[in-house]
Amino acid sequence: MPGRPLSRRTTLGAALAAPAVLAGCDIDPPLDESRSSSATPPPPEDSELVAAVVAALARAQAVLAAATGAVPSLDARLAPVAAAHVEHLDVLAGAVPEAELPTPAPASVPARPRDALTAVRRSEQRLLREVRAGSLTAASGDLARVLASIAASTSQHSAALAEVTP
Amino acid sequence: MTTLDALQTTLAGEHAALWTYGVLGGRTSQSATPDLFDALTAAHRRHRSRRDQLRSLVEDAGGEPVAAAATYELDGPLLRSTAVQAAALAIEVAGVETLIALVAQSSGAVREWALTEATWSGTWQLELGGAPQTWPGAPELD
């Protein structure tokens, strides 16, 4: 199906443009003319939150990349986590202006397999807390739902990593 | 849909989940498949507490909690332990979907509760033979 990533961004873009319709009645509805295409920025009350989660995902990706660089044998275990975060980032980054997309600092990860894995587990737990906090404070109910799914995914991948022995 | 509607939908799903877990537990041998038995027992406990929580959340929201049906449909005879495990996994997959819908329709303490339970159901899938997904509960994003 062509344009799937675009349609996913459109889903989130539309959700972010009209949070009050779907999210309940505790917030003021945004102006209707603010609705447009996939390039729709999040409503002002959520834009900082989306940028923070995008930065958190980018940081977690940097740790995964550093771990694979330091211990190439971990690649098979970490690749599914990294692939999931690429998808998560792809949906959220569509709602953040290009200029505000973060460039995370390169992460430093120990070269011993056990320590590298510990660094990744800690990083994923931190990401889980950050995504969870985003879901709890999002004004848009649909954004909260997307972040809840990312939190559940991150928790699943963390549980799978917990069973890995280096 | 209001928060109350979403709570009632979630409660109705929990009634079905509890009933099904009861049946699955009855068809699982503790001596032959102890890991599965333990996973089902822990899940049954979690869902019972979830149902009780939902009843009070519905009441707090001014509603009358929906009642359980007398019986629910099972997908096949579920005679083998692999089929039992798959049925339990399906409960948790559906649970994440319902719970993150509740996340969208709520705020504050209800949203926090729904998020915690959605994360639990997602993670418990690994105990039931499931694998990590990219968009648990939100298949339209896959």
Side-chain angles (χ1 to χ4, degrees):
Chain A
M1 201 191 294
R4 280 181 75 201
L6 183 63
S7 76
R8 290 186 314 181
R9 288 181 186 176
T10 309
T11 303
L12 186 63
L16 292 171
V21 176
L22 298 147
C25 43
D26 55 335
I27 48 170
D28 295 322
L31 295 174
D32 209 39
E33 58 262 36
S34 71
R35 291 191 74 167
S36 66
S37 68
S38 61
T40 305
E45 62 266 42
D46 278 339
S47 57
E48 276 184 27
L49 184 156
V50 174
V53 175
V54 165
L57 278 163
R59 180 200 52 73
Q61 275 188 322
V63 173
L64 285 164
T68 308
V71 188
S73 62
L74 286 177
D75 183 51
R77 298 296 196 168
L78 301 184
V81 192
H85 290 336
V86 166
E87 298 281 311
H88 298 152
L89 209 46
D90 190 38
V91 165
L92 290 178
V96 176
E98 198 73 29
E100 290 173 28
L101 287 175
T103 316
S108 170
V109 167
R112 278 177 42 155
R114 186 188 304 270
D115 297 342
L117 207 48
T118 301
V120 168
R121 285 178 184 138
R122 284 200 186 127
S123 163
E124 291 295 309
Q125 285 302 312
R126 180 178 161 194
L127 175 66
L128 178 56
R129 289 195 298 274
E130 288 163 331
V131 174
R132 190 181 151 86
S135 175
L136 293 179
T137 49
S140 154
D142 274 351
L143 173 62
R145 176 177 172 274
V146 168
L147 295 177
S149 182
I150 295 177
S153 171
T154 302
S155 177
Q156 288 178 325
H157 281 288
S158 291
L161 282 180
E163 287 161 15
V164 174
T165 42
Chain B
M1 195 188 245
T2 64
T3 301
L4 179 56
D5 293 335
L7 283 167
Q8 294 280 35
T9 302
T10 313
L11 176 56
E14 285 303 320
H15 285 315
L18 257 182
W19 184 89
T20 308
Y21 266 116
V23 173
L24 298 178
R27 294 187 187 182
T28 302
S29 159
Q30 185 170 10
S31 55
T33 48
D35 289 348
L36 178 59
F37 188 87
D38 289 349
L40 295 179
T41 306
H44 188 265
R45 206 178 300 130
R46 182 89 183 199
H47 283 273
R48 194 172 49 212
S49 131
R50 199 182 273 180
R51 178 206 56 193
D52 295 345
Q53 282 274 338
L54 280 162
R55 277 180 172 154
S56 35
L57 289 172
V58 165
E59 283 169 356
D60 292 349
E64 170 81 18
V66 289
T71 187
Y72 294 87
E73 273 188 36
L74 280 178
D75 194 16
L78 304 174
L79 296 176
R80 290 172 188 277
S81 63
T82 49
V84 167
Q85 190 183 52
L89 178 60
I91 292 174
E92 301 306 333
V93 168
V96 176
E97 196 159 348
T98 311
L99 284 159
I100 70 169
L102 178 57
V103 164
Q105 300 296 338
S106 60
S107 59
V110 174
R111 182 185 286 180
E112 186 168 5
W113 179 84
L115 176 57
T116 299
E117 294 303 313
T119 306
W120 186 87
S121 277
T123 311
W124 202 250
Q125 290 171 24
L126 273 68
E127 302 289 327
L128 297 166
Q133 303 137 57
T134 300
W135 297 108
E140 84 283 0
L141 291 170
D142 255 321

